[in-house]
Amino acid sequence: MTDRVLALLDGTLLDPAAPFLRADDYGVLRGDGIFETTLVVDGAPRDLDEHLLRLAISARMTDLELPGADRWRTGITAAIGAWTGGRDMVLRLIATRGPEGANRPTCFVMGGPVAPRIAQDRAEGVRVLTLERGFSGTEAAALPWLLAGAKTLSYAVNMAAQRHAAANGADDVVFVGSDGHVLEAPTATVVIAQGRHLVTPPLQGILAGITVERLWPAARAAGFTTETAPLTVQDLHAADGVWLLSSVRLIAPVVRIDGADRPAGAVTAELAAALDVPPAR
Ligand SMILES: Cc1ncc(COP(=O)(O)O)c(C=O)c1O
């Protein structure tokens, strides 16, 4: 059973346990790089076109010149072909700025197992803390060097927020802007339901989530209405359902906000079906 695979963009497979990155790679030295993560189910990567497009957008935002989508597909095909670790695989596409002075990005494709925590989050829900992000979405959107809408490797702040949550008896975080508006979770998009009306915050200072993009038309086909509109923490508490959406976890109901228990949301199963969530295994 292979529980890690590593491929280059020409399809070469490397030993995932062997040293690979140079110690002076800017991805290591500064977290300077970009990435994408998606779920592969039975050999098929979900929303691959969308992830390759967002990788290209992040590359543009960070002035990284990357090989084209076809090269990435070659690496992805090799990684998926080598995977024997089960029906579901987490696929990561990674591009760093490369070794110091080389002016050549380091690009690779990695496959690995889905963390056991994911199934638990989907089934039992997550307890979140709301934490201030320190700026508003509109402020961040006006300051492109903050790279708020790019998916960069600089996730140390996001991981610190999740550790803060864990140290305080929660599972995850919802970031709130300095204007009181809900932004996103460290690795997920926030969606709420008011009856059969679904709302997600506007794309200002946050990542454009692919999972919510996929949910919107599917939910409308299932009889929901959808909207992108500013949300406050009070809106979260008052909602009939709150969820965190992302490409691997897909959809996890929020069952506690800042210590206040809340119902998981009666429509969770309907939304999971709209998102084609694979069965627990
Ligand atoms: C900061 C952030 N927001 C939102 C998301 C959700 O995006 P997607 O649905 O494309 O996975 C992610 C995913 O990792 C993320 O890191």
Side-chain angles (χ1 to χ4, degrees), residues 34 54-66 150:
I34 58 175
R54 193 169 63 187
L55 188 73
I57 292 170
S58 297
R60 197 173 333 124
M61 291 174 77
T62 53
D63 297 320
L64 267 176
E65 246 182 73
L66 294 192

Side-chain angles (χ1 to χ4, degrees), residues 195-196 198 215 218-219 221-224 243 251 265-277:
R196 292 183 73 78
L198 305 177
L215 175 64
F224 291 87
W243 298 271
I251 181 162
V267 297
T268 299
E270 258 186 278
L271 297 181
L275 272 176
D276 228 349
V277 175

Side-chain angles (χ1 to χ4, degrees), residues 54 151 155 158 184-189 207 209-211 245-247:
R54 193 169 63 187
K151 197 161 168 66
Y155 263 43
N158 303 34
E184 61 185 348
T187 64
T189 304
L207 189 72
I210 289 169
T211 315
L245 265 63
S246 60
S247 295

Side-chain angles (χ1 to χ4, degrees), residues 35-52 54 76 80 83 85-93 109-116 118-119 122 151 210-211 214 245-251 272 275-281:
F35 74 108
E36 281 296 324
T37 307
T38 191
L39 186 65
V40 177
V41 180
D42 292 328
R46 289 173 61 104
D47 304 315
L48 185 56
D49 291 349
E50 288 79 2
H51 284 281
L52 288 170
R54 193 169 63 187
I76 292 163
I80 292 174
W83 176 254
R87 296 181 67 177
D88 300 338
M89 178 184 99
V90 175
L91 176 72
R92 290 195 168 85
L93 316 179
V109 175
M110 250 184 0
V114 178
I118 297 284
R122 284 184 198 148
K151 197 161 168 66
I210 289 169
T211 315
R214 178 174 174 145
L245 265 63
S246 60
S247 295
V248 174
R249 196 159 35 169
L250 295 173
I251 181 162
L275 272 176
D276 228 349
V277 175
R281 47 199 174 211

Side-chain angles (χ1 to χ4, degrees), residues 76-245:
I76 292 163
T77 304
I80 292 174
W83 176 254
T84 56
R87 296 181 67 177
D88 300 338
M89 178 184 99
V90 175
L91 176 72
R92 290 195 168 85
L93 316 179
I94 296 150
T96 78
R97 198 165 301 279
E100 213 165 17
N103 204 18
R104 167 175 44 82
T106 307
C107 300
F108 54 101
V109 175
M110 250 184 0
V114 178
R117 164 96 236 169
I118 297 284
Q120 192 185 329
D121 285 358
R122 284 184 198 148
E124 294 168 22
V126 290
R127 301 159 298 174
V128 302
L129 294 185
T130 59
L131 295 184
E132 279 199 36
R133 188 75 172 88
F135 44 74
S136 70
T138 40
E139 279 168 338
L143 306 174
W145 52 89
L146 291 185
L147 297 175
K151 197 161 168 66
T152 77
L153 288 174
S154 309
Y155 263 43
V157 168
N158 303 34
M159 298 301 103
Q162 286 186 333
R163 285 196 303 277
H164 179 86
N168 288 277
D171 308 304
D172 215 326
V173 166
V174 169
F175 283 127
V176 179
S178 53
D179 58 0
H181 286 148
V182 171
L183 293 169
E184 61 185 348
T187 64
T189 304
V190 176
V191 169
I192 72 162
Q194 296 158 335
R196 292 183 73 78
H197 184 61
L198 305 177
V199 190
T200 195
L203 286 182
Q204 283 180 318
I206 64 173
L207 189 72
I210 289 169
T211 315
V212 68
E213 266 303 299
R214 178 174 174 145
L215 175 64
W216 254 212
R220 286 195 294 268
F224 291 87
T225 52
T226 60
E227 185 186 9
T228 300
L231 295 173
T232 63
V233 173
Q234 192 40 45
D235 292 328
L236 302 185
H237 285 293
D240 297 310
V242 179
W243 298 271
L244 300 186
L245 265 63

